[in-house]
């Protein structure tokens, strides 16, 4: 699955830390494609067991962290866990089948 990340239109370059929980019932290779995300900013990708994140060429991967995590099985439990763990969830998306996911990051 390719995860496309770029800032919302009102933000020229996104310069804040991000945390993503990438959960799948089956192990996946998450391919990351980014635009206009400032280098050197902490970005964390938690993936379900057996999954990996592949970064496109460039230095984005130098400031990104990837960690396998055991997530709650049901989406409502995952959302509750994320809210408890991080205090807030700004976006939650559930897809049954997808090759590309487009996410706008920003305020």
């Amino acid at each position: 699955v390719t995860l496309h990340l770029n800032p919302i239109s009102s933000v020229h370059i996104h310069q804040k830390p991000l945390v993503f929980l990438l959960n799948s019932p089956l192990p996946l290779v998450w391919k990351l494609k980014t635009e206009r995300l400032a280098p050197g900013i902490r970005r964390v990708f938690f993936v379900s067991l057996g999954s990996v994140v592949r970064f496109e060429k460039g230095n984005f991967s130098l400031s990104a962290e990837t960690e396998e995590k055991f997530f709650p099985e049901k989406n409502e439990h995952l959302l509750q866990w994320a809210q408890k763990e991080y205090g807030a969830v700004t976006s939650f998306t559930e897809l049954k089948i997808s090759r590309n996911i487009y996410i706008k990051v920003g305020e």
Side-chain angles (χ1 to χ4, degrees):
V1 174
T2 302
L3 183 61
H4 302 265
L5 302 177
N6 56 343
I8 58 175
S9 60
S10 62
V11 175
H12 181 63
I13 304 253
H14 189 270
Q15 300 186 42
K16 293 187 178 182
L18 296 168
V19 175
F20 289 91
L21 308 179
L22 304 174
N23 188 28
S24 172
L26 298 173
L28 284 179
V29 173
W30 295 91
K31 297 175 193 166
L32 212 61
K33 293 193 178 254
T34 63
E35 291 180 35
R36 300 183 358 251
L37 300 185
I41 305 293
R42 185 171 185 247
R43 296 180 181 99
V44 182
F45 297 87
F46 291 110
V47 296
S48 48
L49 301 178
S51 293
V52 295
V53 177
R54 300 269 185 249
F55 300 96
E56 62 187 341
K57 291 180 182 179
N59 63 357
F60 182 80
S61 63
L62 297 176
S63 58
E65 302 168 34
T66 303
E67 183 181 325
E68 283 186 67
K69 199 127 181 119
F70 178 78
F71 292 122
E73 195 170 310
K74 296 188 177 192
N75 283 337
E76 54 270 10
H77 296 142
L78 177 61
L79 183 57
Q80 290 169 355
W81 175 83
Q83 288 171 326
K84 182 179 176 187
E85 191 77 16
Y86 296 100
V89 173
T90 57
S91 177
F92 185 92
T93 304
E94 176 186 8
L95 302 167
K96 297 292 182 195
I97 298 175
S98 182
R99 289 203 165 136
N100 291 283
I101 300 171
Y102 297 85
I103 297 179
K104 299 268 190 191
V105 296
E107 300 296 326

